[in-house]
Amino acid sequence: MKLTPEEKEMLNGKHGRAAQKSMEILTTLGDIFEAESMVKVYGVQIAGVSYANLGEAGLEFLNEMAEDGQVKVLTTLNPAGMDRENWQALGIDEEFAKNQNRVIDAFAKMGIITTCSCTPYLIGNTPHYGQHLAWAESSAVCYANSVIGARTNREGGPSALASAITGKTPDYGYHKENNRHGQVLFKINTSINGTDQFGVLGKLIGDKLGALEKKIPYISGIPEASVEELKSFCASVATYGGTALFHMEYITPEYDKYPKPSDLIFEINRDDLERARSELIDEDNEIDFISIGCPHATIHEIANIAKLLKDKKVKKEFWITTARPIKKLADAAGYSEIIENAGAKFAADTCCVVAPIKQRFKGIMVDSAKACYYGRAKNKFKVKLGTMEECIKEATK
Ligand code: F3S
């Protein structure tokens, strides 16, 4: 790779051990993917924050980097394994909480903003069109590339941290103009509404892409989509298909920048959607846990939950997972009081997938296709997908 004098200095250790280690990680990555140079990044999102995933080995790496590492660009964190202020109420044990805090402390020492959310674009790590990023977290990567038109590869935890410390990432993959055009056309011949349905669509497209080499779908036939619907779609298509970028006709900013694919075409009808939805509903599911906010809930979703829960009581464990700044907005608007009076719990900074709750519940109901995937695969729950209204009905019946 062709490095600038500053990048060479970092690699040679002149900027300290963490910068050197970071540059080693990035140049290795660049060599593997045949990048010719580095590109400057505007912001970083780091995943792999839960102590449940990192363990002592991961924490040791972080502590080593934190000895002399400081981030150069705006950097935020993915959800941790617990609500940092309310972990006892969510049944997290003290030992885990202590270790999770050691992880957060190591990130904070490096100057990282410890907001712990998978929707950094809602809380200030908000890039604009065309900016280069180094984001981990598949749903956020997909949102940044597709909905915002920023440019990022799907980073792992160590490479994202390396970019935060150096302010650079190797220039390959989705950073390059010629790797961003749609490859497979999906014509949607039926209406799609709500976060649950957009999640089902993401699963359907993701499953089809899973069998193909080509990963960038171009989707036509959707007249409109809200932020909430798009974030659900991003999470789902990234989970089921490994997709980091899609174009949606008349909706996403690069839809008319490249030619529409004309060789690989799939039509999606109501029957296809119904079939995909049925795959997200397990038989004999004894639901004892409801969770909304995958990806993390927006203030609009929380307002809706408050409206639906007003003067009701939940009869099952019910989490609303969101970023702490959004929770603070909900507090100020009076939504939190209504929700908590109904017996539901906020789980800020965390989510139903990264929290250490494997097998704690029998069955989960969610409005997110991604949460269905990990509810089964990681936490061994039976799952049921529904609309937000259906989730609340289940919780209060
Ligand atoms: Fe976010 Fe957790 Fe879902 S990290 S996308 S809420 S699985």
Side-chain angles (χ1 to χ4, degrees), residues 78-79 118 137 139 235 293-296 321 350-354 368 370-371 374:
N78 230 32
C118 52
E137 170 47 39
S139 68
C294 171
H296 271 174
T321 60
T350 188
C351 80
C352 65
V353 170
V354 297
S368 156
K370 176 175 179 175
Y374 285 104

Side-chain angles (χ1 to χ4, degrees), residues 2 65 79 103 130 159 204 244 293 297 303 351 366:
K2 197 169 178 302
M65 296 297 267
V103 171
S159 67
L204 194 48
C351 80
V366 288

Side-chain angles (χ1 to χ4, degrees), residues 12-174:
N12 293 335
K14 207 169 163 196
H15 295 234
R17 184 65 199 123
Q20 184 178 34
K21 179 99 196 137
S22 298
M23 213 25 109
E24 283 167 4
I25 292 171
L26 297 176
T27 49
T28 303
L29 203 56
D31 286 341
I32 292 169
F33 289 99
E34 298 178 357
E36 287 174 4
S37 59
M38 296 283 176
V39 65
K40 199 170 166 218
V41 295
Y42 155 81
V44 171
Q45 166 78 0
I46 293 177
V49 177
S50 173
Y51 179 77
N53 300 333
L54 277 171
E56 276 307 304
L59 183 54
E60 199 181 308
F61 169 74
L62 290 181
N63 281 331
E64 217 179 279
M65 296 297 267
E67 270 173 29
D68 69 345
Q70 276 298 304
V71 299
K72 280 200 163 150
V73 295
L74 178 65
T75 304
T76 45
L77 290 182
N78 230 32
M82 63 182 198
D83 184 308
R84 295 180 60 207
E85 292 178 9
N86 197 27
W87 51 269
Q88 291 97 332
L90 302 180
I92 304 294
D93 77 63
E94 201 170 339
E95 185 63 19
F96 181 87
K98 208 174 85 204
N99 287 326
Q100 184 62 72
N101 281 332
R102 287 165 65 213
V103 171
I104 305 283
D105 290 348
F107 282 124
K109 196 173 165 201
M110 289 184 266
I112 292 165
I113 300 170
T114 55
T115 36
C116 301
S117 175
C118 52
T119 54
Y121 47 87
L122 295 177
I123 52 165
N125 192 351
T126 315
H128 66 62
Y129 181 87
Q131 276 182 324
H132 294 277
L133 313 169
W135 280 16
E137 170 47 39
S138 61
S139 68
V141 165
C142 189
Y143 194 97
N145 274 323
S146 317
V147 182
I148 299 174
R151 297 176 175 211
T152 178
N153 289 320
R154 193 168 155 170
E155 301 295 342
S159 67
L161 179 60
S163 288
I165 288 173
T166 58
K168 303 289 173 83
T169 192
D171 191 12
Y172 72 95
Y174 295 109

Side-chain angles (χ1 to χ4, degrees), residues 46-300:
I46 293 177
V49 177
S50 173
Y51 179 77
N53 300 333
L54 277 171
E56 276 307 304
L59 183 54
E60 199 181 308
F61 169 74
L62 290 181
N63 281 331
E64 217 179 279
M65 296 297 267
E67 270 173 29
D68 69 345
Q70 276 298 304
V71 299
K72 280 200 163 150
V73 295
L74 178 65
T75 304
T76 45
L77 290 182
N78 230 32
M82 63 182 198
D83 184 308
R84 295 180 60 207
E85 292 178 9
N86 197 27
W87 51 269
Q88 291 97 332
L90 302 180
I92 304 294
D93 77 63
E94 201 170 339
E95 185 63 19
F96 181 87
K98 208 174 85 204
N99 287 326
Q100 184 62 72
N101 281 332
R102 287 165 65 213
V103 171
I104 305 283
D105 290 348
F107 282 124
K109 196 173 165 201
M110 289 184 266
I112 292 165
I113 300 170
T114 55
T115 36
C116 301
S117 175
C118 52
T119 54
Y121 47 87
L122 295 177
I123 52 165
N125 192 351
T126 315
H128 66 62
Y129 181 87
Q131 276 182 324
H132 294 277
L133 313 169
W135 280 16
E137 170 47 39
S138 61
S139 68
V141 165
C142 189
Y143 194 97
N145 274 323
S146 317
V147 182
I148 299 174
R151 297 176 175 211
T152 178
N153 289 320
R154 193 168 155 170
E155 301 295 342
S159 67
L161 179 60
S163 288
I165 288 173
T166 58
K168 303 289 173 83
T169 192
D171 191 12
Y172 72 95
Y174 295 109
H175 293 282
K176 302 294 244 188
E177 192 71 37
N178 56 4
N179 292 332
R180 295 181 62 88
H181 57 91
Q183 298 166 319
V184 188
L185 176 60
F186 288 88
K187 289 186 181 170
I188 315 301
N189 301 325
T190 181
S191 61
I192 311 274
N193 296 298
T195 50
D196 60 315
Q197 267 194 9
F198 270 83
V200 171
L201 181 67
K203 168 181 160 45
L204 194 48
I205 293 178
D207 283 346
K208 288 222 187 291
L209 291 173
L212 303 172
E213 287 267 300
K214 299 182 173 180
K215 293 287 180 202
I216 307 179
Y218 182 107
I219 301 146
S220 70
I222 295 185
E224 56 183 1
S226 67
V227 165
E228 289 77 11
E229 289 166 335
L230 288 168
K231 89 175 157 67
S232 177
F233 178 77
C234 286
S236 181
V237 79
T239 297
Y240 291 92
T243 296
L245 167 65
F246 65 88
H247 302 293
M248 205 175 263
E249 198 167 32
Y250 307 120
I251 291 176
T252 59
E254 291 182 308
Y255 85 86
D256 58 353
K257 196 170 175 187
Y258 313 100
K260 208 166 167 170
S262 55
D263 48 349
L264 260 174
I265 303 174
F266 293 98
E267 307 251 348
I268 293 196
N269 300 310
R270 176 67 27 193
D271 285 0
D272 302 310
L273 273 181
E274 294 304 329
R275 209 173 317 113
R277 171 179 285 273
S278 70
E279 289 167 15
L280 298 174
I281 299 175
D282 287 328
E283 296 288 314
D284 304 322
N285 186 356
E286 215 182 296
I287 297 162
D288 52 358
F289 181 33
I290 290 99
S291 184
I292 292 180
C294 171
H296 271 174
T298 64
I299 191 67
H300 185 50

